[in-house]
């Protein structure tokens, strides 16, 4: 990516230098292509050094929702890039000419700064567009070589195993080892019998659909519980209940989902039926 941008920038710089020298010769000035190449190459050298700023800006824009936020990031990147480019270009020219026994005058003024900023704006748009295309191509290639898998639990070839995708890794777990599952924003949290927890991107509805065949059912608007690991149910006066699991953990359930734990035993079911009659 950097090599392609550098090659295009160098080609444009050389064309600009030769064209500028030719235009000067037609106006009666000297054909000083060396000086014009130095102006172009010093500018391009600083631009290439500042490419990481544009790469980070493009990636941040791609990850940021909302047009206003994206425009803000783009404006900050453009202003910062232009300021660093003008400053770096001027001091690089001053240094090289000083070492050669000469001097460089930028003729600092608002008109000069706006002139350079206008060119920087065009360069940023072109480079950022190129970076955007490279990023899109890279994501497409990554998607092509990476097997698509739902972020919710995935069925394995064995009916007694499921796969959880945790970031870039996939974790195989036994359904019996799952104690409870809870919603956490755009993620769902799995708590296992050994105390480990995994935060998986997905929805609780998808997890419920996948895990229902393992007696892992919804006991709250934001929670699922493994009924096979429940060792006790504590009914509250409000109609809510609390489940006690065989590893010592507890989980609260809501009145709306009391029928889900009715299968835990006839005694529990009787208690739940009695609670249904409470005012």
């Amino acid at each position: 990516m950097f090599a392609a941008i550098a090659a295009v920038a160098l080609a444009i710089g050389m064309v600009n230098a030769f064209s500028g020298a030719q235009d000067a010769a037609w106006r009666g000035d000297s054909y000083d292509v060396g000086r014009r190449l130095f102006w172009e190459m010093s500018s391009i050298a600083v631009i290439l050094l500042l490419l990481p700023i544009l790469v980070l800006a493009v990636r941040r824009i791609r990850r940021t929702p909302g047009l206003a936020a994206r425009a803000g990031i783009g404006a900050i990147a453009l202003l910062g890039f232009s300021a660093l480019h003008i400053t770096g270009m001027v001091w690089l020219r001053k240094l090289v000419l000083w070492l050669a026994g000469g001097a460089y005058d930028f003729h600092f003024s608002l008109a000069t700064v706006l002139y350079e900023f206008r060119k920087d704006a065009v360069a940023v748009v072109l480079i950022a567009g190129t970076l955007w295309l490279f990023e899109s191509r890279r994501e497409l290639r990554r998607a092509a070589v990476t097997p698509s898998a739902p972020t919710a639990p995935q069925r394995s070839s064995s009916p007694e195993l499921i796969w959880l995708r945790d970031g870039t890794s996939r974790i195989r777990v036994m359904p019996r080892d799952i104690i409870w599952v809870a919603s956490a924003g755009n993620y769902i949290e799995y708590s296992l019998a050994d105390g480990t927890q995994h935060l998986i991107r997905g929805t609780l509805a998808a997890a419920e659909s996948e895990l229902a065949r393992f007696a892992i059912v919804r006991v709250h608007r934001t929670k699922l519980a493994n009924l096979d690991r429940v060792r006790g149910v504590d009914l509250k006066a409000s109609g809510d209940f609390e489940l006690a699991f065989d590893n010592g953990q507890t989980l609260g359930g809501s009145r709306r989902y009391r029928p889900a734990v009715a299968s835990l035993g006839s005694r529990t079911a009787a208690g739940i039926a009695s609670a249904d009659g409470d005012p």
Side-chain angles (χ1 to χ4, degrees), residues 175-190:
R176 175 171 171 76
D177 292 336
I178 299 174
I179 300 297
W180 52 261
V181 183
S183 175
N186 292 329
Y187 295 82
I188 45 179
E189 182 179 7
Y190 289 78

Side-chain angles (χ1 to χ4, degrees), residues 2-279:
F2 286 100
I5 293 175
V8 173
L10 289 172
I12 293 174
M14 293 180 65
V15 170
N16 288 341
F18 283 101
S19 297
Q22 185 63 60
D23 291 340
W26 285 337
R27 292 194 302 266
D29 297 333
S30 61
Y31 187 82
D32 190 2
V33 69
R35 180 172 60 90
R36 295 182 180 276
L37 276 173
F38 172 63
W39 300 149
E40 294 290 339
M41 294 304 111
S42 60
S43 175
I44 291 172
V46 177
I47 288 176
L48 295 180
L49 289 175
L50 295 177
L51 273 182
I53 294 177
L54 297 182
V55 173
L56 293 176
V58 168
R59 290 177 178 175
R60 177 60 63 87
I61 290 173
R62 291 176 66 89
R63 295 195 301 264
T64 302
L67 181 60
R70 290 184 171 187
I73 296 173
I76 293 173
L78 171 58
L79 292 174
F81 178 91
S82 183
L84 292 173
H85 173 236
I86 294 173
T87 303
M89 174 185 66
V90 169
W91 283 103
L92 178 60
R93 292 174 180 178
K94 284 181 176 291
L95 175 62
V96 173
L97 290 178
W98 176 77
L99 293 175
Y104 173 73
D105 185 5
F106 179 60
H107 302 292
F108 181 82
S109 67
L110 179 60
T112 306
V113 172
L114 290 177
Y115 171 78
E116 294 294 339
F117 177 78
R118 186 168 61 246
K119 294 193 297 182
D120 285 342
V122 174
V124 167
V125 170
L126 293 176
I127 295 174
T130 302
L131 293 172
W132 189 285
L133 293 176
F134 269 102
E135 290 293 317
S136 299
R137 182 172 179 269
R138 186 178 67 171
E139 290 181 0
L140 289 174
R141 292 180 62 183
R142 183 184 302 168
V145 299
T146 303
S148 59
T151 53
Q154 177 183 341
R155 293 191 182 189
S156 67
S157 56
S158 171
E160 299 304 322
L161 294 173
I162 63 172
W163 287 92
L164 303 180
R165 183 174 177 179
D166 189 6
T168 57
S169 62
R170 297 172 63 204
I171 304 166
R172 189 176 67 173
V173 300
M174 296 283 292
R176 175 171 171 76
D177 292 336
I178 299 174
I179 300 297
W180 52 261
V181 183
S183 175
N186 292 329
Y187 295 82
I188 45 179
E189 182 179 7
Y190 289 78
S191 179
L192 304 185
D194 60 2
T196 60
Q197 294 181 336
H198 299 285
L199 200 60
I200 310 299
R201 190 171 183 86
T203 65
L204 194 66
E208 179 183 19
S209 176
E210 174 67 22
L211 299 174
R213 60 197 176 104
F214 302 113
I216 302 176
V217 300
R218 192 182 294 254
V219 295
H220 186 274
R221 183 177 59 86
T222 62
K223 303 171 187 175
L224 308 178
N226 188 344
L227 300 186
D228 289 340
R229 304 300 296 259
V230 174
R231 289 296 176 264
V233 181
D234 181 15
L235 295 174
K236 307 295 183 180
S238 63
D240 295 339
F241 55 91
E242 185 175 74
L243 302 176
F245 297 97
D246 55 9
N247 69 339
Q249 294 188 43
T250 59
L251 184 72
S254 64
R255 179 188 182 112
R256 177 183 175 185
Y257 297 97
R258 284 179 301 175
V261 298
S263 61
L264 292 176
S266 58
R267 185 174 181 178
T268 301
I272 294 174
S274 174
D276 283 333
D278 293 342

